[in-house]
Amino acid sequence: MLSSSPARIAAATAVVLVAAGLPSVPGSAAGRGVVAAPGAAGIGDPYWPLDGNGGIDALHYDVRDRYDFSTRTLSGTTTVRLRATAALSRFNLDLLLPVSSVLVDGVPAAYTKPDPHELQITPAAAVPRGRVVDVVVTYAGRPGPIGYAGERNWLAGAGEVVAINEPHMAPWWFAANDHPLDKATFDVRITGPATHQVISNGLPAGRTVSGSLATTHWRSTDPMTTYNAFFALGRYQVERTVQDRLPSFVAVSRDLDPSRRGPALRALRRSAEVTAWLARRLGPYPFESTGGVVSPLAARAGFALENQTRPVYPVAPSRSLMVHELAHQWFGNSVSLRRWRDIWLNEGLATFMEHYDVERRGGQSAQTWLRDERGFNLGVPSFWRTPVSDPGPAEVFGNAVYVRGAMTIQALRHRLGERVFWKVVRTWVRTRRHGHGTTTGFVALAERISGQRLGGFFRAWLEAPRAPSYTEGNGLR
């Protein structure tokens, strides 16, 4: 389907390639006359094989969407600036909405949807390895009825919409390389009624009003995973403050019951304080702003989510919930997963910080919590059955991932001692800032800093289908 005109390549090579029906790529980083090939339809994560795509590295997303409450239609364009990591005859992006056009560096490209989740793009000319191109995708549709991987994630009411979920959200509202392995910077522009406000990640970059509509622009200059990108469009009470030169933006939906708005706003005002405390314990805050949003639509989803710089909560968050979601700014948002199997690193560390916060404020010690939790679950075989270091897609957000993950971290703290333990944690977030981490990498770091062999310890807590023995080596004595 692709015809290419390779320039400055040996005529004989070009004849052979054309005869074989393969495009050639002139001047690619891999060398002259390299044969281009299709990028894979997935990035290689076995939990969700269609997530992400092969052969591309997204550098920046410019998302410009409009949501119409009367028709429940989302329309827009996403410009993805991406680098080819291989010589590509075609490549995929992840998008669930119907597409009307695709441009690659301003030139119309052929496209198809071989799967509802996959947008397959064939540019007019093959893309050499290392080339940076702008891919503009135009789309429109009703996200509400669309499902993927057993999920229907669109949250919208008569006058409010909140685009949040994990592990998947991006394909319902923008074209993406949708896997945590590929992070990028973002510009998000959302158009909606001028009576409404838009909240998103990062910092506000402008708002323009045209008649009954307004377009609000938010910018994220730090790399972000696609599931962490979000927008909320509705009628909000918004406050902006600055603490220690860090801006904080908080917003409470006016669709929230009036008796709950005041408590929600008062709770969110603690975001900057909690962020500052976490920074003192974990190391410098990794992003350009903090804050939070409370929306009744999140209550419909049944969870809070750690969207980068601005978690979204279903109700006024408790301090523990706020500690958890803001700790994710380090664990999960700055240091992101390479594969979904390592989700315990995100959830275990964030849950541990909840219990550590209770301890340092004079409540139950995290070690007492660990021992009590182990004892409580001794007679619950299902709690130990899931291998936390590889729980499978059905249990990726299961209770064991959170609780046993946090138990592992506290047991490690007790075994290593305060000084060595916090050196491990702070080194983890510092050396992988805006990058990625794995269980193997975390274990190796803890062994290197502590000088101890910890393979048996981590196997006992993360893999064995039974409660760890009550021993000093397992961090319990």
Side-chain angles (χ1 to χ4, degrees):
M1 296 174 65
L2 174 66
S3 63
S4 65
S5 302
R8 294 185 292 275
I9 189 169
T13 304
V15 169
V16 170
L17 291 171
V18 171
L22 296 170
S24 59
V25 182
S28 76
R32 295 166 62 88
V34 171
V35 177
I43 211 165
D45 195 318
Y47 280 19
W48 290 283
L50 288 180
D51 283 12
N53 302 280
I56 61 173
D57 174 19
L59 306 176
H60 183 75
Y61 293 95
D62 186 341
V63 182
R64 304 182 184 218
D65 283 351
R66 174 181 172 180
Y67 189 71
D68 187 324
F69 286 101
S70 64
T71 63
R72 302 197 172 198
T73 298
L74 184 140
S75 58
T77 63
T78 299
T79 301
V80 187
R81 177 159 292 174
L82 61 83
R83 177 184 293 111
T85 60
L88 295 171
S89 59
R90 69 170 188 253
F91 56 89
N92 286 22
L93 292 172
D94 302 321
L95 180 64
L96 290 163
L97 295 169
V99 174
S100 58
S101 72
V102 178
L103 304 176
V104 177
D105 273 352
V107 178
Y111 63 91
T112 186
K113 296 289 289 290
D115 179 278
H117 180 262
E118 296 297 305
L119 172 63
Q120 188 179 92
I121 299 168
T122 304
V127 182
R129 178 184 177 188
R131 176 75 56 82
V132 175
V133 297
D134 286 336
V135 181
V136 182
V137 182
T138 303
Y139 44 85
R142 297 182 63 198
I146 298 175
Y148 169 66
E151 306 165 27
R152 293 187 182 274
N153 291 345
W154 193 247
L155 295 174
E160 186 173 2
V161 57
V162 180
I164 59 166
N165 218 299
E166 184 185 6
H168 307 111
M169 189 66 244
W172 276 266
W173 65 285
F174 67 96
N177 196 28
D178 189 30
H179 190 276
L181 189 58
D182 192 4
K183 302 163 98 169
T185 55
F186 277 76
D187 281 282
V188 173
R189 294 173 174 86
I190 302 296
T191 299
T195 53
H196 290 40
Q197 293 79 43
V198 175
I199 311 298
S200 188
N201 314 90
L203 292 169
R207 173 180 163 95
T208 59
V209 178
S210 178
S212 63
L213 298 176
T215 299
T216 305
H217 179 192
W218 286 80
R219 175 170 290 155
S220 299
T221 57
D222 295 311
M224 181 161 60
T225 64
T226 47
Y227 78 84
N228 278 146
F230 91 106
F231 78 89
L233 169 64
R235 290 176 286 264
Y236 298 101
Q237 184 174 347
V238 182
E239 287 188 1
R240 179 188 187 275
T241 59
V242 178
Q243 180 170 321
D244 298 330
R245 295 184 292 183
L246 180 68
S248 176
F249 298 87
V250 301
V252 174
S253 171
R254 296 185 186 275
D255 286 349
L256 200 67
D257 185 274
S259 66
R260 297 183 176 183
R261 286 185 212 155
L265 192 58
R266 287 193 293 274
L268 289 181
R269 286 171 181 155
R270 300 199 304 267
S271 300
E273 169 204 334
V274 172
T275 301
W277 170 71
L278 287 165
R280 289 192 294 273
R281 185 72 270 177
L282 301 175
Y285 181 66
F287 302 118
E288 63 265 73
S289 69
T290 187
V293 178
V294 172
S295 167
L297 290 178
R300 185 192 302 178
F303 57 80
L305 189 63
E306 65 270 18
N307 305 92
Q308 190 158 301
T309 70
R310 206 140 293 116
V312 178
Y313 306 98
V315 294
S318 66
R319 181 179 176 96
S320 286
L321 179 58
M322 188 174 291
V323 167
H324 182 103
E325 303 304 339
L326 289 172
H328 271 309
Q329 305 305 311
W330 285 264
F331 308 125
N333 296 4
S334 177
V335 185
S336 302
L337 304 172
R338 294 190 67 84
R339 293 292 183 267
W340 281 106
R341 64 176 292 169
D342 293 314
I343 185 65
W344 82 272
L345 283 168
N346 290 8
E347 301 302 345
L349 282 157
T351 303
F352 161 76
M353 290 304 296
E354 294 181 55
H355 296 286
Y356 175 71
D357 179 59
V358 170
E359 174 190 304
R360 68 102 196 176
R361 289 187 295 113
Q364 182 187 54
S365 75
Q367 187 66 12
T368 299
W369 167 80
L370 166 65
R371 291 168 176 157
D372 288 351
E373 198 68 35
R374 177 188 175 276
F376 176 78
N377 285 290
L378 276 175
V380 186
S382 60
F383 181 75
W384 306 103
R385 193 174 297 134
T386 299
V388 175
S389 58
D390 190 2
E395 292 295 325
V396 74
F397 298 115
N399 182 59
V401 169
Y402 289 71
V403 179
R404 278 176 54 201
M407 293 169 75
T408 303
I409 298 300
Q410 172 54 32
L412 181 68
R413 176 191 176 201
H414 191 69
R415 172 166 169 162
L416 300 186
E418 290 294 286
R419 184 186 64 82
V420 174
F421 170 78
W422 287 109
K423 184 177 181 181
V424 170
V425 173
R426 290 172 68 93
T427 302
W428 178 253
V429 297
R430 176 176 56 82
T431 58
R432 287 161 178 79
R433 181 182 174 97
H434 300 318
H436 298 85
T438 64
T439 299
T440 300
F442 187 79
V443 173
L445 179 69
E447 289 186 329
R448 178 175 64 80
I449 290 176
S450 68
Q452 300 182 29
R453 291 187 175 181
L454 297 170
F457 167 88
F458 280 103
R459 283 191 295 274
W461 280 105
L462 300 177
E463 299 175 16
R466 66 191 66 84
S469 300
Y470 201 87
T471 65
E472 183 177 350
N474 286 332
L476 288 164
R477 288 191 182 276

